[in-house]
Amino acid sequence: MDAPAPGGAAPAAFSDARGPLAGVTVIALEQAVSAPMCTRTLADFGARVLKIENPDGGDFARHYDEVVAGQAAHFVWVNRGKESVTLDLKSAAGADLLHRLLARADILVSNLAPGATGRLGLAPADLATRHPHLIAVEIDGFGTGGPLSHKRAYDLLVQAEAGVCAVTGFPGAPAKPGPPVADVTTGLYAALAILAQLCGRLRAGPGPGARIAVSLFDTMAEVMGYHLTYARHTGVDQQPLGMSSPAVSPYGSYATADGQTVVLGTTNDREWQRLARELLQRPDLAEDARFRANPGRVRHRAELDAAIGDWCLRHDLAAIQKAADAAGIGNSRYNLPSDVLDHPQLVARDRWRTIDTPAGPIPSLLPPAIVAGFDPPMGAVPGLGQHTDAVLAEWGYDAAEIAELRARGAIGSTYRT
């Protein structure tokens, strides 16, 4: 990102093929999904990410399952493009190594257990003294200063605490959204905060670092914004509606004559009129006073869903979607994950790439943002400790010193493929 040109002229386009974050070094004390998603996002834009792992097993997400040629699906998803360095941070030598890495890094991202960064000498006050240049981001469960701040927080626990599960599923049968949305969203908010700091440095010039805290609970409270606003101003806890929405109607899924499921959605009164008149061929519904405005349709959701469901059961999915497209009505097909693997929208737009892993190449989706003139690096998923020796050599340690550190247990065993 360039600073504004004199006279208000547009800045020159970014042209470094290595990515807009080329030259930025990130130290990651991370595990599971939230912080790894943050740092993978930075790696996708060209940052160098050094993933610090415990020599005894590393990131515990490495061992969730073995479905990707002996590797865990969670791990290969959020850890491409990183370098793995094994350090025993409980040893004095390992802690010293970490600080030597931080001295030449730009960013520190962590999501360790409550209090762990303080015990490692990485609390905000410690960093301000020892590494004042760092942009340091700590991801935690509930934020500091509250009655739950001491608690461990996993994606499910935070979603339940923040009310997300209460508005997902069906009445009496709450559910957690399938993807780990608390982890993913928090990781992306953390990456956004980092990018904002880097942007500020470009405009203001080099300066002191920043201390940033992002909690899963605060992120989910933000995501729940509509439901919290509704509850505050009505005193009503909206009930979950499966694949529908409490805010608008009609909006949901319907079985078709050929055993498929179509999803139809309207978001305003004009769309409803087209759905009723052009798709359903039901001018009586369009003219019914109960259904003319969205609040009425929400109150009478059951009647509308019954009418739409009856119509869909008499038509095949392809015919429904063709007619809905012609009428300008939003529609989609209900897919299983296995249906999405070769989804024509992904195939036609060439969204899959091949990345390397310790167990061989695997397919991996490109990151969502498409930047003209920049191909994301799509780096390899690292083996545990794969880059330890190379990184330490780069930081000035010779072979004898590395061997001594290994003998003392400060770093992991020599990496072997």
Side-chain angles (χ1 to χ4, degrees), residues 102-114:
L102 290 172
R104 287 172 50 183
D106 303 287
I107 298 162
L108 168 65
V109 178
S110 65
N111 70 328
L112 305 180

Side-chain angles (χ1 to χ4, degrees), residues 312-331:
C312 288
L313 278 173
R314 292 184 276 110
H315 298 81
D316 288 349
L317 173 69
I320 295 171
Q321 291 197 276
K322 182 178 180 179
D325 285 341
I329 301 300
N331 65 91

Side-chain angles (χ1 to χ4, degrees), residues 5-99:
F14 178 82
S15 59
D16 191 334
R18 299 173 300 164
L21 296 184
V24 172
T25 298
V26 182
I27 303 298
L29 302 178
E30 60 182 21
Q31 52 201 5
V33 175
S34 59
M37 175 58 73
C38 170
T39 58
R40 197 210 77 181
T41 300
L42 302 177
D44 284 340
F45 285 112
R48 182 184 190 186
V49 178
L50 304 183
K51 183 181 179 76
I52 309 303
E53 299 191 72
N54 188 323
D56 184 17
D59 183 339
F60 54 70
R62 285 183 178 273
H63 313 290
Y64 279 169
D65 55 55
E66 299 178 340
V67 301
V68 188
Q71 306 164 109
H74 270 94
F75 189 84
V76 300
W77 166 41
V78 291
N79 285 287
R80 68 171 181 240
K82 303 178 185 180
E83 300 169 56
S84 173
V85 176
T86 50
L87 298 181
D88 179 3
L89 298 179
K90 294 182 180 180
S91 72
D96 180 66
L97 279 170
L98 174 63
H99 284 287

Side-chain angles (χ1 to χ4, degrees), residues 298-313:
V298 168
R299 286 193 297 272
H300 299 282
R301 181 189 309 276
E303 294 98 311
L304 286 184
D305 281 344
I308 297 169
D310 179 69
W311 182 84
C312 288
L313 278 173

